[in-house]
Amino acid sequence: MAKRRKPSGPSTAPVHGECAYRIVLESYPDGLLVISGKGAVQFFNRAACELLGMSLRPGLSLQDQAGWCESLQQLPQAPNGTRVIRVRRAA
């Protein structure tokens, strides 16, 4: 029986579920943040850290960060209180 060779180069295997979404969100050029109703960071991508000049981590409370509390209150929110924030790069 002949051995099958693994293809070289990038994988062509499909990526499913959360992994696929995470890859798309991490490669997105604009910053993305998901903030809970209590002001805690639930998700962020690398671009959000770069554009905001902040070191973000899951669970970080933005309630204590200067200016964030007032800004968060002005954003639309989902019924569970979650807000999604997009930070755009300058043109």
Side-chain angles (χ1 to χ4, degrees):
M1 231 188 243
K3 286 187 176 181
R4 289 184 133 185
R5 291 177 20 159
K6 288 185 179 180
S8 60
S11 173
T12 57
V15 181
H16 298 285
E18 183 180 340
C19 185
Y21 287 109
R22 197 163 287 280
I23 289 170
V24 169
L25 294 175
E26 280 297 331
S27 64
Y28 195 68
D30 291 341
L32 295 171
L33 293 140
V34 177
I35 310 297
S36 74
K38 295 180 180 178
V41 175
Q42 293 181 317
F43 173 84
F44 59 93
N45 67 356
R46 191 174 310 123
C49 293
E50 292 171 7
L51 292 168
L52 295 172
M54 294 176 67
S55 181
L56 299 170
R57 65 183 185 282
L60 173 70
S61 176
L62 294 179
Q63 299 289 358
D64 302 329
Q65 304 293 323
W68 275 92
C69 192
E70 296 82 20
S71 299
L72 287 174
Q73 298 305 321
Q74 297 173 11
L75 295 170
Q77 63 183 354
N80 66 357
T82 301
R83 292 176 169 90
V84 176
I85 302 169
R86 177 180 176 199
V87 183
R88 299 184 87 176
R89 293 186 183 272

